[in-house]
Amino acid sequence: MPSLLKEIHLPKQKNILETLKNFWQENKSHDFLVRIGDHDYPCHRLVLMVYVDLVRQKLDKCELQLPENSVRPETFELIYDWMSDRTPLVKRPGIVHLLLAADYLKIERLSSQIWHCLDQDSGFGEDQAIQVALDAMPFKDLNRLHFLMLHRIQYFFLVFVSSIEFLDLPVKSLIFLLSSNDIRINSEAEVFYAAIRWLNHEWPTRQIHAMEVMERVRISRMPSELLQAFELPVDDIRVERIIELPELRPLIEKGSFDQVAMQFDDGTKMYNQIYEIFDVTVLQPRRFICHDLAPYHKPGPNSPDQVFRYSDFLGYLGVLQTLPLDSLKLLEKPL
């Protein structure tokens, strides 16, 4: 007999992915436990499986223990919110721990997003960069981040030198910073005095680092009359005990000789031979500013007569501490 019923089409239900997303966001029926120290976090296994290899590799487990030194409890909360398609607010002090946790859990997409936030083009300023560099300093796994942020320092260099945090830099980080071509200064002598400030902080313990630190100062680019003044007592024990070190005297003398040689350079090929014969090292000058609040301010950077004492430099650092962080960057005519 012919069928008396027509084909029946059932109406389409809700999108299963959208339904699961809403289900997870409402935090219903957790089926997995993440333990960090004394903290327990009920989670959805499927959410974790999307991002975390450790969960996918152990399908028979219903919980995961994470080391607190790699994934902080508050950091995991942010990561789980991110996994669940929420938009967690990350404050600057927490971004280093977030990157550390993302790398430990091998969540490449999250790591990539964090690096994008740290990019200069995203508006991440120099003052924030130095804070991230300091936050990353204790973690060997974040050495790349630490030195990348130090490399960002330009106009903020002198402000950083005025801080307590500068004095606590490890010698490797200090050397990296003093070697930069991009730091902005009024005079190369400021780099010299910055090194003096760091060495004096824990003298004589830091005396063993005096040579490797001072080698990063471009002595031949310092004001000539200041170098001549160093040939006599300078009446400041903080400076004298360093420049009088037997291993440093030849370094200062060579810098003075190189400076004289460069002053008489006429650009001829023969003069290049003189450089080779006398082992003259021509160092690139730094990038300069001319800040009129520096007591030793000169319209021309590194003027030969730009002679100032260590106490003058410390006084200028004190002035910088009273100014907005971006004051040097906003100078009208940086050189």
Side-chain angles (χ1 to χ4, degrees):
M1 293 179 63
S3 174
L4 300 179
L5 296 175
K6 295 182 179 181
E7 292 182 357
I8 299 174
H9 295 280
L10 295 176
K12 187 177 181 180
Q13 298 300 305
K14 295 181 179 178
N15 183 293
I16 185 64
L17 294 179
E18 190 67 26
T19 303
L20 283 173
K21 173 184 170 182
N22 294 335
F23 182 79
W24 290 331
Q25 288 181 337
E26 292 170 4
N27 288 322
K28 295 178 179 179
S29 302
H30 298 108
D31 57 353
F32 199 88
L33 191 65
V34 173
R35 298 182 184 276
I36 306 175
D38 297 329
H39 302 268
D40 294 341
Y41 296 96
C43 304
H44 294 292
R45 178 197 292 270
L46 285 177
V47 173
L48 295 174
M49 286 180 66
V50 173
Y51 297 101
V52 183
D53 287 341
L54 292 172
V55 178
R56 291 196 297 268
Q57 292 167 1
K58 299 180 179 180
L59 298 177
D60 58 328
K61 302 293 184 181
C62 293
E63 65 177 55
L64 176 65
Q65 184 78 40
L66 295 176
E68 194 168 359
N69 60 339
S70 296
V71 184
R72 287 186 170 187
E74 63 273 19
T75 303
F76 179 77
E77 291 186 43
L78 290 172
I79 292 178
Y80 191 70
D81 282 346
W82 176 84
M83 291 177 180
S84 302
D85 203 24
R86 298 186 182 94
T87 52
L89 179 64
V90 182
K91 295 183 179 180
R92 196 277 309 157
I95 201 165
V96 166
H97 292 285
L98 188 62
L99 181 60
L100 191 69
D103 288 346
Y104 176 81
L105 295 172
K106 299 179 182 179
I107 308 176
E108 294 183 4
R109 188 183 305 176
L110 178 57
S111 297
S112 177
Q113 289 183 7
I114 296 170
W115 279 106
H116 177 73
C117 292
L118 295 172
D119 192 85
Q120 281 179 306
D121 294 335
S122 65
F124 203 79
E126 291 182 43
D127 54 329
Q128 296 169 312
I130 194 61
Q131 290 295 333
V132 170
L134 296 174
D135 291 342
M137 194 164 58
F139 304 104
K140 292 183 179 180
D141 293 341
L142 296 180
N143 268 351
R144 176 191 168 203
L145 176 63
H146 171 69
F147 288 107
L148 177 63
M149 293 295 109
L150 284 182
H151 184 68
R152 296 266 185 91
I153 305 308
Q154 297 182 24
Y155 291 92
F156 198 68
F157 172 72
L158 291 170
V159 179
F160 180 48
V161 171
S162 72
S163 69
I164 295 175
E165 289 79 5
F166 171 78
L167 300 176
D168 293 331
L169 277 182
V171 64
K172 186 177 179 180
S173 302
L174 175 74
I175 287 173
F176 182 86
L177 185 59
L178 297 188
S179 301
S180 173
N181 292 326
D182 297 322
I183 54 176
R184 293 274 187 166
I185 52 176
N186 295 282
S187 167
E188 182 66 29
E190 290 177 324
V191 182
F192 174 82
Y193 284 139
I196 294 286
R197 173 167 156 77
W198 184 88
L199 289 168
N200 270 282
H201 180 60
E202 292 182 359
W203 190 268
T205 305
R206 290 182 173 177
Q207 181 176 340
I208 60 174
H209 300 303
M211 189 67 178
E212 58 182 329
V213 169
M214 283 300 179
E215 283 179 337
R216 272 63 188 182
V217 178
R218 300 174 186 183
I219 295 176
S220 61
R221 295 293 182 180
M222 290 174 60
S224 57
E225 291 188 18
L226 183 59
L227 289 178
Q228 294 173 15
F230 286 159
E231 296 176 3
L232 302 173
V234 296
D235 197 27
D236 190 327
I237 185 61
R238 297 167 296 183
V239 178
E240 280 191 354
R241 64 186 175 192
I242 295 173
I243 64 176
E244 292 298 328
L245 290 173
E247 64 269 29
L248 282 184
R249 290 308 305 177
L251 186 68
I252 296 175
E253 291 170 2
K254 183 180 186 309
S256 298
F257 179 84
D258 290 352
Q259 184 179 83
V260 173
M262 288 189 293
Q263 288 173 353
F264 288 96
D265 186 352
D266 56 7
T268 62
K269 186 176 181 180
M270 182 177 295
Y271 216 90
N272 291 334
Q273 295 175 348
I274 294 176
Y275 279 0
E276 293 179 7
I277 293 171
F278 293 99
D279 189 28
V280 175
T281 304
V282 180
L283 298 172
Q284 179 179 341
R286 313 276 187 178
R287 303 178 69 182
F288 289 100
I289 54 176
C290 282
H291 191 199
D292 57 1
L293 293 183
Y296 42 84
H297 165 73
K298 295 281 184 179
N302 277 354
S303 299
D305 60 344
Q306 195 176 30
V307 179
F308 57 99
R309 298 168 297 174
Y310 181 54
S311 57
D312 297 325
F313 174 66
L314 294 182
Y316 175 54
L317 295 186
V319 171
L320 291 178
Q321 284 282 310
T322 67
L323 302 177
L325 293 178
D326 58 352
S327 295
L328 297 181
K329 189 173 184 178
L330 297 178
L331 290 177
E332 291 185 5
K333 296 180 180 180
L335 299 176

